[in-house]
Amino acid sequence: MKTLLTITLTSLLTFNIAFAQTPEERGLEIAIESDKRDTGFADQLAEMLMTLRNAAGKESIRKVRVKTLEVSGDGDKSISIFDQPRDVKGTALLSYTHSTKPDDQWLFLPALKRVKRIASRNKSGPFMGSEFSFEDITSFEVDKYTYKYLRDEEVEGKATFVIEQFPTYQASGYTRRIVWVDQEIYQPLKVEFFDRKNSLLKTLTFHDYQQYLDQYWRADRQEMVNHQSKKSTTLLFNNYQFKTGLTDRDFDQNSLKRAR
Amino acid sequence: MRKISFCSLIGLLISQPVYADVSPIEISGSASLEFRYFPQDALSSEQSDSNFSFAIQPEFYQSWNGGKNSLLFTPFLRLDEHDSERTHADIRELLYETVSDNWELRAGIGKVFWGTTESQHLVDIINQTDLIENSDTEDKLGQPLINLALIRPIGTLDLFILPGFRERTFAGGDGRLRFIPAVDTGNPIYESSAEDKHVDWAVRWSQTLADWDIGISHFSGTSREPLFIANNDGSALIPVYNLIDQTGLDIQTYQGNWLLKLEAISRSGQGRRFSALITGFEYTFVGVFNSVIDVGWIAEYLFDDRKNNALTPFEDDYLIGTRITLNDAQSSEFLFGIIQDASSNSQSFNLEASHRIGQSWKIELESRWFSNINPNDIDFSFSRDDYIQFTLSKFF
């Protein structure tokens, strides 16, 4: 009898807890799950081809190689090496991203062999003249946002959670983002960005997800459309590699100076 | 001495085991056509009011052993319409590099930059200035060197042996932006009996501590910056290269949109010991007026305790400048600065702008003006050399 009562009480409690979960808690839970599933890749190499398009459709190309080191409990470290356009070839950017405090960034200028620190409230600034800002391309960290689960919705035949995210870090260019998270792989399929005046600024869509090392999902293609300027950027990723053995030493200023 | 460093370089190369994963040679670089126009008549009648110039700087790079070993070769050539001194070639880099977990070794001819400030670079001393390229002192000649960097948790310790000295380049008689009388680079005077074969050394410790980047350095050897004496008939200036010891400190930190900078040196060997300092900030407004345009403000104070005896015109001066970055697909940028002498009306203005054309071309505008230059200041010779310059560059 006592056992039965305990079981009933427990299930009642569980039921209540599940029911009492607020949209905020539900949103956070999904974010934590996304983060958990993408943990443990150690390091990552990728080649990025960006195609910038202005309102008239005129195109411009950027080629960047990105090395990323996973840092547990903080934002990741990365070195981006610019290959094109040719006048910025050899320029490299070292970033120590942080969830809530400003990122540390150093830029290497090959002509002068100079490493310059960047005062990095520039999270909202455009990355290489594209429609992606720095905050759009840095690693996802749970602490970067507060969350609100909105609804379930289907996107191109896939079940998604629709979640509103509010940046917690300073100097974001956005008041909020709405993210459509694939319920199967816990990766975003679509993001809408709202500017500081809370009007829709940009839409980002993710295409052709591939799985690496039986765990990590990466989209081969991202499309960013700016609704206000009518400009757009396509981001193609190539040659993903994981767990290549990179260490902190590959992400210091000495390595930045010889980044190739 | 240059020959010796070449030999040791080749020796190092031969002693390396042959690795299978030798990367193909990467070739890149730039070629540029430059036009300068001087609106004012020159102080000397040999000098022209306009000048065309062409420069090319290819770069060859090869690595092996998973990028842990590499060889870099960067020759440079400039052809100048009027100034035979400015028509010159240099090996900017011919550098072998090998990298390990906690050390890096470089040998050959290389280029090293130390410092944080924008108006002048006090601490930077490894390379000689290729002054004939540009009066902003940012162009450097290749320096023979052996550099061992020890990378430890307490910071990076860079040790340098610098076998061989490069003379500073100066505009010739036909060139503008030159001293009056012109510098005779053929007969320099050295304090060291080894002349330009004196072996210099330098050491630098650098570390990043949270938001701070700090460097402390010491150099012992032939001064990159010469003193001058007039020749017998006063028709030319003879550069005098003393042996000096220079200790330097460079710091940068940031707080929000503020970037704070300091460079300070203390030097002995050229008369009495002296100190010089530059400190200032750069403040950036990101995305002004709800656009993607960034506007930065730069302010620096320059001090040299030699006062008016300083070789530099910057003994008690302010720089105020602005940097506008459009963040467009063409990476358009503008930089405008004024350096004002605190104790006189003398000013120099500097404007730089650049804009990419297509995927591999760039057009640049540069203009400098000098106003109310004190006849006792070292840069009085330049007082009629205001200029506007266009450069069209192709990158490959």
Side-chain angles (χ1 to χ4, degrees), chain B residues 104-128:
Chain B
E104 298 179 0
L105 178 70
R106 285 169 275 272
I109 296 168
K111 184 165 152 180
V112 174
F113 179 86
W114 299 340
T116 55
T117 55
E118 302 301 314
S119 51
Q120 285 286 297
H121 306 303
L122 285 177
V123 168
D124 190 39
I125 196 167
I126 296 293
N127 291 77
Q128 179 59 278

Side-chain angles (χ1 to χ4, degrees), chain B residues 171-202:
Chain B
D174 299 328
R176 293 290 285 257
L177 291 154
R178 72 159 165 90
F179 296 110
I180 310 275
V183 176
D184 176 4
T185 50
N187 300 292
I189 296 170
Y190 292 97
E191 181 177 336
S192 166
S193 57
E195 301 197 325
D196 62 349
K197 292 172 185 61
H198 184 267
V199 178
D200 304 340
W201 60 267

Side-chain angles (χ1 to χ4, degrees), chain A residues 62 111 113-114 117 121 249, chain B residues 93 101 111 116 257 329:
Chain A
R62 307 280 183 269
K113 304 281 170 197
R114 178 173 184 182
R117 196 185 256 268
R121 279 248 179 113
R249 170 76 172 93
Chain B
E93 286 158 304
D101 276 350
K111 184 165 152 180
T116 55
N257 289 352

Side-chain angles (χ1 to χ4, degrees), chain A residues 61-62 84-87 104 106 111-114 116-117 121 126 129 197 249 253-254 258 260, chain B residues 59 93 99-101 104 111 113 116-118 151 156 208 210 213 254 257 259 290 323 329 356 359:
Chain A
I61 303 291
R62 307 280 183 269
Q84 274 199 33
R86 299 304 280 182
D87 59 297
D104 291 305
W106 296 266
L112 303 174
K113 304 281 170 197
R114 178 173 184 182
K116 258 190 102 167
R117 196 185 256 268
R121 279 248 179 113
K197 286 183 266 171
R249 170 76 172 93
Q253 286 188 42
N254 296 298
R258 1 175 224 94
R260 285 269 170 187
Chain B
E59 182 185 291
E93 286 158 304
V99 175
S100 183
D101 276 350
E104 298 179 0
K111 184 165 152 180
F113 179 86
T116 55
T117 55
E118 302 301 314
I151 295 144
T156 298
T208 297
D213 294 316
Y254 76 93
N257 289 352
L259 200 57
N290 248 331
R323 189 198 307 274
R356 183 185 306 112
Q359 277 297 114

Side-chain angles (χ1 to χ4, degrees), chain A residues 135-148:
Chain A
E135 60 187 314
D136 302 339
I137 54 167
T138 51
S139 64
F140 175 76
E141 306 298 329
V142 173
D143 294 351
K144 278 183 169 179
Y145 304 94
T146 58
Y147 302 88
K148 190 178 173 188

